[in-house]
Protein backbone atom coordinates (compact mmCIF):
# COMPACT_ATOMS: atom_id res chain seq x y z
CA UNK A 1 0.00 0.00 0.00
CA UNK A 2 1.29 3.43 -0.98
CA UNK A 3 0.13 6.29 1.26
CA UNK A 4 0.35 9.88 0.00
CA UNK A 5 0.29 12.71 2.47
CA UNK A 6 1.13 16.39 2.61
CA UNK A 7 4.41 16.69 4.47
CA UNK A 8 3.85 20.28 5.53
CA UNK A 9 4.43 21.97 8.84
CA UNK A 10 3.42 25.44 9.98
CA UNK A 11 6.20 27.52 11.51
CA UNK A 12 6.64 31.05 12.73
CA UNK A 13 7.59 33.35 9.87
CA UNK A 14 9.98 35.23 12.12
CA UNK A 15 11.64 31.97 13.19
CA UNK A 16 12.19 30.99 9.54
CA UNK A 17 13.73 34.38 8.77
CA UNK A 18 15.92 34.21 11.89
CA UNK A 19 17.13 30.72 10.93
CA UNK A 20 18.24 31.93 7.50
CA UNK A 21 19.88 35.03 8.99
CA UNK A 22 21.81 32.81 11.40
CA UNK A 23 22.84 30.48 8.56
CA UNK A 24 24.11 33.46 6.54
CA UNK A 25 26.20 34.60 9.50
CA UNK A 26 27.64 31.10 9.83
CA UNK A 27 28.72 31.19 6.19
CA UNK A 28 30.81 34.30 6.74
CA UNK A 29 32.32 33.06 10.00
CA UNK A 30 32.80 29.34 9.31
CA UNK A 31 34.01 29.62 5.70
CA UNK A 32 33.00 26.02 5.03
CA UNK A 33 31.05 24.32 2.26
CA UNK A 34 28.76 22.64 4.79
CA UNK A 35 27.72 26.03 6.17
CA UNK A 36 27.09 27.27 2.64
CA UNK A 37 24.94 24.25 1.78
CA UNK A 38 22.95 24.68 5.00
CA UNK A 39 22.27 28.34 4.16
CA UNK A 40 21.31 27.42 0.59
CA UNK A 41 18.79 24.81 1.75
CA UNK A 42 17.26 27.23 4.24
CA UNK A 43 17.05 29.96 1.60
CA UNK A 44 15.36 27.63 -0.88
CA UNK A 45 12.92 26.50 1.78
CA UNK A 46 12.02 30.10 2.64
CA UNK A 47 11.71 31.10 -1.02
CA UNK A 48 9.43 28.14 -1.65
CA UNK A 49 7.11 28.88 1.26
CA UNK A 50 6.91 32.60 0.41
CA UNK A 51 6.14 31.78 -3.23
CA UNK A 52 3.45 29.28 -2.20
CA UNK A 53 1.93 31.99 0.00
CA UNK A 54 1.94 34.52 -2.84
CA UNK A 55 4.17 36.88 -0.85
CA UNK A 56 5.55 39.97 -2.55
CA UNK A 57 8.86 39.16 -0.83
CA UNK A 58 9.29 35.91 -2.78
CA UNK A 59 11.37 37.52 -5.55
CA UNK A 60 13.79 39.12 -3.11
CA UNK A 61 14.06 35.82 -1.28
CA UNK A 62 14.86 34.13 -4.62
CA UNK A 63 17.79 36.53 -5.04
CA UNK A 64 19.28 35.18 -1.82
CA UNK A 65 18.87 31.58 -3.02
CA UNK A 66 20.57 32.47 -6.31
CA UNK A 67 23.46 34.19 -4.53
CA UNK A 68 24.07 31.17 -2.31
CA UNK A 69 23.92 28.77 -5.26
CA UNK A 70 26.42 30.92 -7.15
CA UNK A 71 28.71 31.03 -4.12
CA UNK A 72 28.53 27.25 -3.70
CA UNK A 73 29.70 26.84 -7.29
CA UNK A 74 32.33 29.55 -7.00
CA UNK A 75 31.00 31.88 -9.70
CA UNK A 76 33.02 35.08 -10.26
CA UNK A 77 31.76 37.87 -8.04
CA UNK A 78 29.83 35.51 -5.78
CA UNK A 79 31.95 36.30 -2.71
CA UNK A 80 31.00 39.98 -2.79
CA UNK A 81 27.36 39.15 -3.45
CA UNK A 82 27.43 36.73 -0.52
CA UNK A 83 28.64 39.48 1.78
CA UNK A 84 25.65 41.58 0.76
CA UNK A 85 23.11 38.76 1.07
CA UNK A 86 22.11 39.56 4.69
CA UNK A 87 21.18 43.07 3.58
CA UNK A 88 18.65 41.59 1.15
CA UNK A 89 16.94 39.79 4.03
CA UNK A 90 16.53 42.85 6.27
CA UNK A 91 13.83 44.69 4.26
CA UNK A 92 11.63 41.60 4.05
CA UNK A 93 8.58 41.35 6.30
CA UNK A 94 8.17 37.97 8.02
CA UNK A 95 4.57 36.74 7.84
CA UNK A 96 2.91 35.57 11.01
CA UNK A 97 3.29 31.96 9.91
CA UNK A 98 4.62 29.95 6.98
CA UNK A 99 3.67 26.54 5.62
CA UNK A 100 6.86 24.63 4.86
CA UNK A 101 7.15 21.40 2.89
CA UNK A 102 9.92 19.00 3.80
CA UNK A 103 12.41 18.65 0.95
CA UNK A 104 12.33 14.87 1.04
CA UNK A 105 15.30 14.40 -1.29
CA UNK A 106 17.55 16.35 1.05
CA UNK A 107 15.99 14.96 4.21
CA UNK A 108 15.70 11.27 3.37
CA UNK A 109 17.33 10.31 0.07
CA UNK A 110 20.83 11.84 0.33
CA UNK A 111 20.26 14.21 -2.58
CA UNK A 112 22.99 16.86 -2.62
CA UNK A 113 22.70 20.17 -4.50
CA UNK A 114 26.06 19.63 -6.18
CA UNK A 115 24.73 16.41 -7.76
CA UNK A 116 22.54 18.61 -9.93
CA UNK A 117 25.42 20.95 -10.76
CA UNK A 118 27.27 17.92 -12.14
CA UNK A 119 24.23 16.92 -14.17
CA UNK A 120 23.89 20.42 -15.59
CA UNK A 121 27.57 20.38 -16.55
CA UNK A 122 26.90 17.33 -18.72
CA UNK A 123 24.10 18.93 -20.73
CA UNK A 124 24.84 19.67 -24.36
CA UNK A 125 23.40 23.06 -25.28
CA UNK A 126 23.77 24.32 -28.83
CA UNK A 127 23.32 27.95 -27.84
CA UNK A 128 23.86 30.12 -24.78
CA UNK A 129 20.43 30.66 -23.26
CA UNK A 130 18.39 28.53 -20.87
CA UNK A 131 15.05 28.88 -19.09
CA UNK A 132 14.97 26.79 -15.91
CA UNK A 133 11.65 25.73 -14.36
CA UNK A 134 11.94 24.32 -10.85
CA UNK A 135 9.17 22.17 -9.37
CA UNK A 136 8.45 23.22 -5.82
CA UNK A 137 9.37 22.33 -3.21
CA UNK A 138 12.88 20.89 -3.62
CA UNK A 139 13.04 22.12 -7.21
CA UNK A 140 13.30 25.64 -5.82
CA UNK A 141 16.79 25.02 -4.49
CA UNK A 142 17.78 22.67 -7.29
CA UNK A 143 16.70 25.11 -10.01
CA UNK A 144 18.96 27.77 -8.48
CA UNK A 145 21.89 25.33 -8.54
CA UNK A 146 21.22 24.30 -12.15
CA UNK A 147 20.97 27.93 -13.25
CA UNK A 148 24.22 28.76 -11.45
CA UNK A 149 25.95 25.77 -13.02
CA UNK A 150 24.87 26.91 -16.48
CA UNK A 151 26.06 30.45 -15.80
CA UNK A 152 29.44 29.00 -14.88
CA UNK A 153 29.50 27.67 -18.46
CA UNK A 154 28.59 31.14 -19.78
CA UNK A 155 25.03 30.09 -20.56
CA UNK A 156 22.58 32.91 -19.90
CA UNK A 157 20.01 31.35 -17.58
CA UNK A 158 16.98 32.51 -15.65
CA UNK A 159 14.58 30.52 -13.52
CA UNK A 160 11.06 30.36 -12.20
CA UNK A 161 9.30 27.81 -10.00
CA UNK A 162 5.89 26.15 -10.22
CA UNK A 163 3.70 24.06 -7.93
CA UNK A 164 1.77 21.29 -9.77
CA UNK A 165 -1.56 20.54 -8.09
CA UNK A 166 -4.13 17.77 -8.06
CA UNK A 167 -4.16 14.02 -7.54
CA UNK A 168 -0.65 12.50 -7.18
CA UNK A 169 -1.22 10.48 -10.37
CA UNK A 170 -2.78 13.35 -12.30
CA UNK A 171 -0.98 16.58 -11.49
CA UNK A 172 -1.75 19.78 -13.39
CA UNK A 173 0.52 22.80 -13.80
CA UNK A 174 -0.73 26.33 -14.42
CA UNK A 175 1.47 29.31 -15.23
CA UNK A 176 0.67 32.82 -14.09
CA UNK A 177 0.30 35.60 -16.66
CA UNK A 178 3.76 36.87 -15.73
CA UNK A 179 5.25 33.39 -16.15
CA UNK A 180 3.61 33.02 -19.56
CA UNK A 181 5.27 36.27 -20.66
CA UNK A 182 8.57 34.92 -19.30
CA UNK A 183 8.13 31.72 -21.31
CA UNK A 184 7.24 33.64 -24.47
CA UNK A 185 10.32 35.83 -24.10
CA UNK A 186 12.64 32.86 -23.74
CA UNK A 187 10.91 30.95 -26.51
CA UNK A 188 11.44 33.92 -28.84
CA UNK A 189 15.13 33.78 -27.93
CA UNK A 190 15.29 30.04 -28.76
CA UNK A 191 16.22 29.14 -25.19
CA UNK A 192 16.49 25.59 -23.91
CA UNK A 193 13.77 24.86 -21.33
CA UNK A 194 14.90 22.69 -18.42
CA UNK A 195 12.50 21.24 -15.86
CA UNK A 196 14.17 20.53 -12.52
CA UNK A 197 13.03 18.31 -9.66
CA UNK A 198 14.55 15.57 -7.52
CA UNK A 199 13.10 12.79 -9.69
CA UNK A 200 9.92 11.55 -11.36
CA UNK A 201 8.58 9.87 -8.23
CA UNK A 202 6.19 6.95 -8.41
CA UNK A 203 4.03 8.34 -11.20
CA UNK A 204 6.08 11.02 -12.95
CA UNK A 205 2.91 13.10 -12.97
CA UNK A 206 4.46 16.36 -11.74
CA UNK A 207 7.27 16.28 -14.29
CA UNK A 208 4.86 15.45 -17.11
CA UNK A 209 2.41 18.17 -16.09
CA UNK A 210 5.10 20.85 -16.33
CA UNK A 211 6.19 19.54 -19.74
CA UNK A 212 2.59 19.54 -20.95
CA UNK A 213 2.03 23.07 -19.68
CA UNK A 214 5.19 24.29 -21.43
CA UNK A 215 4.04 22.72 -24.69
CA UNK A 216 0.64 24.40 -24.33
CA UNK A 217 2.41 27.72 -23.78
Amino acid sequence: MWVFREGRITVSGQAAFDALASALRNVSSADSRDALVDALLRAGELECSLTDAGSHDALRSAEITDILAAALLGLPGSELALENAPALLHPLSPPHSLSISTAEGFAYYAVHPLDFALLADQLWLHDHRAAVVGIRSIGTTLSAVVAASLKRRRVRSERITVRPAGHPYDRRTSFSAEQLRWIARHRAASAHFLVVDEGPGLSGSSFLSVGDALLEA
Side-chain angles (χ1 to χ4, degrees):
M1 178 183 294
W2 292 94
V3 180
F4 292 92
R5 66 180 176 83
E6 285 291 337
R8 288 176 173 268
I9 59 172
T10 300
V11 301
S12 160
Q14 186 63 59
F17 274 58
D18 290 345
L20 177 55
S22 176
L24 289 171
R25 288 193 297 271
N26 288 340
V27 168
S28 58
S29 61
D31 191 28
S32 74
R33 175 169 288 183
D34 287 347
L36 195 51
V37 169
D38 177 61
L40 171 63
L41 267 55
R42 291 183 183 277
E45 187 177 74
L46 180 61
E47 177 194 339
C48 178
S49 59
L50 289 174
T51 305
D52 282 340
S55 170
H56 63 277
D57 286 331
L59 288 177
R60 182 62 63 88
S61 178
E63 290 183 45
I64 299 174
T65 312
D66 289 336
I67 287 171
L68 288 163
L72 181 62
L73 296 182
L75 268 64
S78 60
E79 290 185 4
L80 178 60
L82 188 59
E83 291 178 5
N84 296 326
L88 295 175
L89 188 60
H90 291 154
L92 306 188
S93 303
H96 175 71
S97 63
L98 282 171
S99 178
I100 292 180
S101 298
T102 301
E104 295 182 353
F106 295 143
Y108 309 127
Y109 306 135
V111 173
H112 195 285
L114 290 179
D115 295 339
F116 279 70
L118 292 174
L119 287 172
D121 286 341
Q122 297 171 28
L123 293 173
W124 181 83
L125 303 178
H126 62 73
D127 56 26
H128 295 283
R129 186 181 294 269
V132 181
V133 182
I135 300 179
R136 300 196 298 270
S137 54
I138 195 173
T140 305
T141 305
L142 296 179
S143 65
V145 172
V146 168
S149 180
L150 295 174
K151 289 174 182 176
R152 187 169 59 179
R153 294 171 50 191
R154 303 183 183 277
V155 176
R156 294 178 61 184
S157 57
E158 297 179 5
R159 71 181 181 96
I160 59 173
T161 64
V162 294
R163 171 74 76 178
H167 189 277
Y169 281 89
D170 189 25
R171 299 292 195 197
R172 292 288 185 268
T173 295
S174 298
F175 295 115
S176 67
E178 183 178 354
Q179 289 177 330
L180 287 171
R181 288 191 292 270
W182 182 87
I183 291 168
R185 176 165 55 85
H186 282 285
R187 182 176 177 229
S190 299
H192 291 272
F193 283 82
L194 308 176
V195 182
V196 183
D197 196 15
E198 65 185 349
L202 190 62
S203 69
S205 178
S206 292
F207 256 134
L208 290 172
S209 73
V210 178
D212 287 342
L214 282 173
L215 288 173
E216 290 175 8

